[in-house]
Every structure is written in structure tokens, then in C-alpha cells.
Amino acid sequence: MQWTPSPEQTRETTQPQVPVRLSALIKGIALASSLGVSAFASAGVQADTWRFALEEVSGSVQDAYAQEFKQRIEKASEGDIDVEIYPYGALGTSSQLTELVQSDAIQLTFASPGHLASVIPEAGVFTLHFLFSDDNAVNEKVLGNSKAIDMLSEAYTEQNLQLLGVIPEGWMVWTGNRDIEKPADMDGFKIRTMTSPILVETYRGYGANPTPLPYSEVYSGLQLGQIDGQVNPVFAIEEMSFYEVQDYMIQAKQAQFITTLVASSDFYSGLDDDQRQVLDKVTNEMRPYIFEKQEQYNADRLEKIKKDSDIKIITLTDEQRDAFRPEGEKGWKVFREQAGERGSKILDTLQADIKAAEGE
Ligand code: 6CS
């Protein structure tokens, strides 16, 4: 089938645009500071405009979150705050978006641990294989109230980031130009991963040949045969058209895709009390909304993929999944080494909380 890029995909694959726009935005802000005026004012933007950048395109789970967040914030603040949404491709790659928040050029972004763990290794806990419950409702409950999140929050603060939410977006699903049903099938498999070294080592543990790339380069990498496969939730496999250039989709429930919502610590602590309360209230209340939404998006997009393509969809049995566990859990050791004592505590706490929640 001929692939026609959507306007969002065209923008996000036009790589040169990213650094140009990024540097223009940063330069504008630096110039404003040197002139002693508010960067927002110089850009013609009110001080209560919150710029919110996404790591995903329009129509994604992150976009659904941002659109609802915008409505709720604008309503709760009675027009005091305007939220401007920048879909993936408008400002930069995942890592660049985090840098924009850290430097206060924008106020909010999603920072997925699959990339962010390069800077905050503790965040890599969310990318570990066979850690989370097979029942995603259990995971959502744990992520909403585990003490592990408070410990993680400290690590974010050290990088001038305020952790505002931990959001599951669905099971990570392998796609490939070959079937993967047993660990030996991973041998030499050139799989695109997000850029965190913990993820890279996890896939090396399976015997695969991991290739870290930005999200925007995955489609062309698959199409040109530079990589054999990739891993992402179903909604993303559909909206980024990966399924059109792959022969197999393998559901192994080895990991959840979990993202984090962040602001800069300076921005957060500089908010007046009313605005901070609005932000905290809205981010708390968004949890059930986005959990339901991601389930619906993943289910609907799976049906769309089945209808629109002849990709073979394979769901591994519990026995088949068990064969992957020992290799998959090699990543845990790498995580403990890279994330140190605090990281190990976060992992132990999460694991205990998941077990306890499964027993309830
Ligand atoms: O694979 C990635 O890089 C991206 N995947 C998703 C579903 N969201 C953002 C992330 O950067």
C-alpha cells in the first residue's frame, strides 16, 4: 500500500525544521532577557500563556491528554491561563522538548522515560521488562499512589523538572519484518529503541541489535530496511503508519509505555497559589480520563490495523512470555547500576506495591 504522510508526519520528518525553530525560539528568549524584558512579552504572548509540547502527533494519546487539559485549565482558571499545544514536529525531538522546559522556553511537555533516562536514569524504571502487572488497572492504581513516585520526583527536581504526572499509554508491542516468538528469534534483530541506554542494554540482553533513534526517523528506517523492527503501543503503530511497512506485530506484554508530564521547577514554584492549585487539581483529575482514553485508542487502532492491512498479529502465550523473562530482566541489573541507590529503592518499592496491589 502506498503511504501518504499526514501533514503532521510531513512536518515531523522534516528534520532541519526542528533545530531551526528550536534555536529561533531560544534566541528570542535570550534576546528578550538581555534587553531586560519578559521573554513572553517580547514574543507577544501573555505571561499566563502555558506552552505545552507533545512528543506525539495530533490525534495521539498525548494529544488527547493535552486537549482535555487545555479545556479544564482554561475553565478552572476562568480565562486567566491560556494553554497552547505544540504537537510533535513543531518544536523538536523528545530530548529537545525536555531541554526547552528545563530552560524555561516552554512551560510543559511530556518526557518519556525511554528517552529521559539518558538524563535521569531513575526514570528508566518505567521501561523495565516484566516489572508491571499483566493487569493494567493494577499498574494505573500503583502509579497513582506509590511512594516510588515521590522518590522519583526528587530526581526530576535535581534536573529543574517538576514531575506532574505518570501516565501509562498502553502495552509495548514489537513489530518486525520477521516473527518473534522465542528469545532466539531476537538474535541480531535490528530493533529501533528509544534513546535510553537502559533500554538499549535491555534489548542487547535478548541478543538483539538495538538501534536508538528519534521517533521521527522510525518510519523511514523501517521502509528503507535500515532497521528490522521497532516497539511502541498499538495506537502509535497505527498513527505513525509503522504497520504498513512491517509484516508482524507481536504482543508479549513485556512492558508498558509510560510517559511523564513535566514542567520546569522554576515555572512551578513561580506560579501563584491559585494557579498552582488549579494545575495540581487538573493533573490529578486527568488520571482516570487518560487511562480510559488510552485503552479506547489502543483497542480502536488495533481494529483499524486489522481492517486496513494483512499484518500478522501474534499474541504470545504465558509460556512463551516466560521464556523471555530471564533475558528481559537482565535490564534490571543495568538499571540498578545506572540509577544507583535511589533508583534501586524506587524499583524495590514499585515491585512491592505492584505485588501488594495484585493481591488485593
Ligand atoms: O517511540 C518513541 O520515541 C515515542 N513513542 C511514543 C508512543 N510516544 C513518544 C515517544 O517519544
Side-chain angles (χ1 to χ4, degrees), residues 54-57 60-62 88 93-95 110-112 114-115 169 172 192-195 213-216 218 230-233 235-237 239-240 242 257 259:
L54 314 183
E55 300 169 297
E56 293 169 5
V57 297
S60 61
V61 170
Q62 291 187 3
Y88 190 56
T93 64
S94 210
S95 310
F110 285 105
S112 290
H115 297 289
E169 296 191 33
M172 290 294 257
R192 177 271 175 174
T193 64
M194 288 180 275
T195 47
L213 285 175
Y215 199 32
S216 51
V218 181
Q230 65 82 48
V231 52
N232 255 306
F235 82 85
I237 293 169
E239 74 193 5
M240 298 299 283
F242 301 154
F257 183 94
T259 194

